[in-house]
Amino acid sequence: MRRAVLLTVLFLISFVITPVHAESFDGTELRVSGGVFRDEHGREVVLRGFNVSGSAKLAEYRGLPFANTADARKSATAMKQLTGANAVRFLLTWAWIEPQRGQIDHAYLDGVTQQLRAFTDQGIRVYLDFHQDLYSRYLFNKDSWYTGDGAPAWAASGYPKESCGLCFHWGQNMKSNNAVTAATYDFWHNRNGVQESFVNAAGEALKHVKEALPANEFKLVVGVDPLNEPYAGKYDNGQTSQQWERDLLMPFYQRFRSEMDEAGWTSKPAFVEPLVFWNQNVDFFAEPGGLTLVPALGDRFVFNAHFYDGKAQSGVLMPGKAGDGQYTQAFGTIRDRAKALGTTSIVSEFGHPVAGNTSDKTPSVLKAIYQGLDSTAPGARWWSAPRGSVISGSQWHWDINYGRHHELMNDNPGKVKTDGDAMNDEHFSAVQLDASGNPVLTVDRAIVDRVYPQAVAGTTLAFTYEDRAYQTWQQIPLANVRSLVGSAPFAVIVWDSNGGSAPTELHLPQSLRSPLVVSSVPSTVNGDKLLLHGGSGRQFALVTAPSGANTAAAEAELRQWYVSW
């Protein structure tokens, strides 16, 4: 009798989901605890969004992500509306923080804070990234094919004339450009105190941001990425890449961590990256790494990886499209390294060009990357082996002025870059302005506006989302569930609930704003959020489009399935 009543209640709930104005539980500070991000309600939080923005690499906007604060506000609003993002990786650059040695540009940091607040005003969490590529733009001559960003001119002087030779991608400069490798090597060996200067300048920037933000907005700042994409430049005789991580990279992170503490960021984790060539799928670029020789990091650090499919971007090494489970192993490795290091993981950069000769692969690559973030199993066997944490991530990148730049490459008035990202011929922005000046996506909205568990009241045991974009990879073995879902997008989550008052929250994409929900707990819709309330112990929810199929039969199948593993 009790089961019959429960089935009836669930059946009714699944069809009548009342929109409500729910109390907000999302403004609390995050901590790393038990291998995940948790808020002050004990909920497991997943961060999803974009990098803002590659424009911070350009001199055009003086090292800021956006042309002005109005652009930042427009970007934040569009990002939230079009994608449901709840976090961004926010770029700032040493060259603009400390243009003259020992002199901090607080006007620049005021600009950083104003643009950052455009996101916290929207309730979007932020983590800072001290960005560099190829050490510094000031290493490159005015007619070079490539450019960099990061260190100020005073920290990039005295190096040999730069040349990458026959390099077909800007990243090859990391290993082939003598000026880049020499300057990078000197940074890690603190020649002339250059690394010490960087850490001190970063500390001043962190103090400035903390003092400028109201306390409630500083709570939304999650942490700091000390340095984008670290690499050695050159190794000492007999030194391995893993030893370099242990002996040079990790001590730098410890110094940076101490500087964070002195700046009042004690409660925020450092988002530390391993050697950039780690977890590469192009063999001749890959090097062992992943902080494998480093002791456990613990809760004051986050294992922060990047992932790009170099084979797909080459246009030669992977002729076809990405397929189901293409990156399951790569993201499984990220999960494993974070667990071994005693912390959580985030993939703070991933993506694929939205224009150019490999952009036909973009839908499949992005779908496969998000699949790897969501689950440890490909769609073909998810239902038989669904266990796995959901990884946070920030796609590269969000630049509403994509294709509208006016960047003097290497300060050369004869090389004005207007196309794409205006940086090393890249085309990665997921957004641009249309002819009327409105932000529009450059990629299929179904791929980037996704169901994801923003906050889980307990611990996520399994999650998947089939977006139906590009191809369908999820194969549902449960006949009644398969009939209920049909050809619609759908998500499934299983979690161990902590029974707290704060609900489990799933972002609802545009395609599922009036969803059919089959769940073991009551549910309500609040705007673009599905709120799953109460309960303790193991719970489940299926989210899809309204259907005329047998909901009670599908619920019975799901109940039998989720308690069986």
Side-chain angles (χ1 to χ4, degrees):
M1 180 66 180
R2 182 183 176 194
R3 176 172 171 78
V5 171
L6 176 62
L7 285 172
T8 301
V9 170
L10 289 170
F11 178 81
L12 292 173
I13 288 173
S14 66
F15 280 96
V16 184
I17 304 170
T18 306
V20 297
H21 181 72
E23 178 185 354
S24 174
F25 292 88
D26 299 327
T28 67
E29 193 165 39
L30 299 189
R31 299 284 195 277
V32 178
S33 177
V36 296
F37 291 109
R38 289 201 183 276
D39 66 12
E40 292 174 19
H41 306 289
R43 299 185 302 175
E44 180 182 323
V45 173
V46 173
L47 305 174
R48 288 286 174 87
F50 296 82
N51 281 260
V52 294
S53 151
S55 297
K57 300 181 181 186
L58 308 179
E60 180 184 11
Y61 301 155
R62 297 187 59 79
L64 291 169
F66 302 100
N68 48 55
T69 305
D71 267 8
R73 291 195 188 103
K74 179 185 285 190
S75 296
T77 299
M79 186 187 297
K80 193 162 188 178
Q81 291 177 345
L82 294 174
T83 73
N86 68 345
V88 293
R89 181 178 184 239
F90 190 101
L91 277 61
L92 67 167
T93 310
W94 181 22
W96 300 96
I97 297 169
E98 191 184 18
Q100 302 297 323
R101 191 163 199 170
Q103 298 181 18
I104 302 300
D105 188 342
H106 288 279
Y108 168 72
L109 294 173
D110 284 338
V112 166
T113 308
Q114 290 164 12
Q115 293 193 6
L116 184 157
R117 294 191 69 187
F119 292 87
T120 56
D121 284 348
Q122 293 277 350
I124 297 174
R125 298 184 187 274
V126 174
Y127 60 107
L128 298 181
D129 163 49
F130 288 89
H131 209 82
Q132 73 79 36
D133 291 292
L134 310 183
Y135 188 73
S136 174
R137 68 185 282 116
Y138 299 105
L139 290 176
F140 291 83
N141 66 66
K142 68 176 186 177
D143 296 315
S144 179
W145 294 1
Y146 302 108
T147 190
D149 68 290
W154 62 262
S157 62
Y159 291 101
K161 182 178 174 63
E162 64 84 17
S163 174
C164 195
L166 293 177
C167 291
F168 299 100
H169 184 272
W170 68 261
Q172 291 176 264
N173 284 270
M174 296 185 207
K175 295 187 176 185
S176 301
N177 190 318
N178 287 337
V180 172
T181 58
T184 304
Y185 177 90
D186 285 349
F187 176 84
W188 294 113
H189 291 79
N190 197 28
R191 184 185 179 192
N192 297 324
V194 66
Q195 185 185 123
E196 183 179 355
S197 291
F198 168 77
V199 172
N200 291 340
E204 292 300 313
L206 296 179
K207 289 176 188 175
H208 186 112
V209 170
K210 183 180 187 300
E211 291 170 2
L213 286 178
N216 64 316
E217 293 184 39
F218 188 60
K219 280 189 173 184
L220 294 177
V221 179
V222 184
V224 187
D225 184 343
L227 190 70
N228 178 66
E229 297 186 348
Y231 59 100
K234 297 179 289 185
Y235 294 113
D236 290 318
N237 289 335
Q239 186 180 51
T240 68
S241 54
Q242 291 162 305
Q243 290 169 342
W244 176 83
E245 286 186 326
R246 180 193 64 196
D247 298 338
L248 289 170
L249 181 60
M250 198 62 212
F252 162 75
Y253 287 148
Q254 296 289 1
R255 286 190 289 274
F256 196 98
R257 174 72 265 182
S258 296
E259 195 71 24
M260 288 175 63
D261 295 345
E262 291 183 20
W265 291 59
T266 306
S267 63
K268 315 287 188 183
F271 288 55
V272 297
E273 300 186 36
L275 175 73
V276 65
F277 306 125
W278 171 81
N279 213 21
Q280 290 269 342
N281 68 352
V282 178
D283 292 341
F284 64 81
F285 236 65
E287 294 180 14
L291 304 179
T292 50
L293 300 184
V294 170
L297 297 174
D299 295 347
R300 283 164 52 79
F301 296 88
V302 170
F303 183 70
N304 174 13
H306 291 183
F307 182 81
Y308 293 95
D309 187 340
K311 291 182 177 179
Q313 287 190 43
S314 74
V316 176
L317 301 175
M318 190 187 93
K321 309 292 196 299
D324 181 24
Q326 182 102 6
Y327 308 125
T328 299
Q329 182 176 350
F331 284 92
T333 301
I334 293 169
R335 287 180 173 89
D336 290 345
R337 288 305 309 139
K339 183 176 180 180
L341 290 164
T343 187
T344 191
S345 59
I346 191 167
V347 181
S348 63
E349 280 192 31
F350 62 87
H352 193 81
V354 299
N357 63 0
T358 68
S359 60
D360 62 312
K361 305 177 192 295
T362 301
S364 66
V365 170
L366 288 178
K367 180 181 175 80
I369 288 175
Y370 277 108
Q371 181 191 55
L373 291 169
D374 287 346
S375 174
T376 61
R381 57 183 178 85
W382 183 87
W383 292 81
S384 60
R387 298 163 186 78
S389 60
V390 180
I391 302 179
S392 295
S394 302
Q395 186 173 326
W396 185 269
H397 63 125
W398 192 269
D399 173 17
I400 61 171
N401 291 311
Y402 171 82
R404 295 177 174 225
H405 288 289
H406 189 87
E407 171 71 1
L408 277 59
M409 185 176 177
N410 298 316
D411 301 317
N412 184 348
K415 295 188 73 173
V416 179
K417 307 298 287 186
T418 60
D419 193 31
D421 298 348
M423 178 74 177
N424 290 330
D425 296 320
E426 290 198 317
H427 294 268
F428 278 84
S429 180
V431 69
Q432 62 184 1
L433 297 178
D434 65 14
S436 300
N438 300 311
V440 294
L441 294 171
T442 63
V443 296
D444 186 344
R445 182 169 180 174
I447 294 177
V448 295
D449 185 17
R450 310 179 61 79
V451 178
Y452 69 97
Q454 291 183 320
V456 175
T459 299
T460 305
L461 302 177
F463 174 76
T464 191
Y465 176 54
E466 175 52 71
D467 51 39
R468 304 292 192 186
Y470 172 65
Q471 289 180 344
T472 294
W473 292 343
Q474 267 282 340
Q475 307 299 320
I476 305 174
L478 310 179
N480 290 304
V481 174
R482 187 166 62 248
S483 177
L484 183 76
V485 169
S487 60
F490 71 93
V492 178
I493 185 169
V494 180
W495 76 102
D496 275 341
S497 175
N498 61 14
S501 60
T504 289
E505 301 181 9
L506 304 185
H507 168 66
L508 295 174
Q510 183 185 45
S511 59
L512 292 175
R513 293 291 166 84
S514 299
L516 167 67
V517 180
V518 182
S519 177
S520 55
V521 297
S523 61
T524 53
V525 170
N526 182 26
D528 66 349
K529 291 184 179 182
L530 175 69
L531 308 179
L532 299 163
H533 304 275
S536 59
R538 186 169 296 183
Q539 309 295 338
F540 75 91
L542 166 72
V543 186
T544 189
S547 168
N550 190 329
T551 305
E555 189 274 339
E557 279 187 338
L558 285 167
R559 181 169 295 279
Q560 184 176 13
W561 166 77
Y562 94 106
V563 299
S564 67
W565 48 269

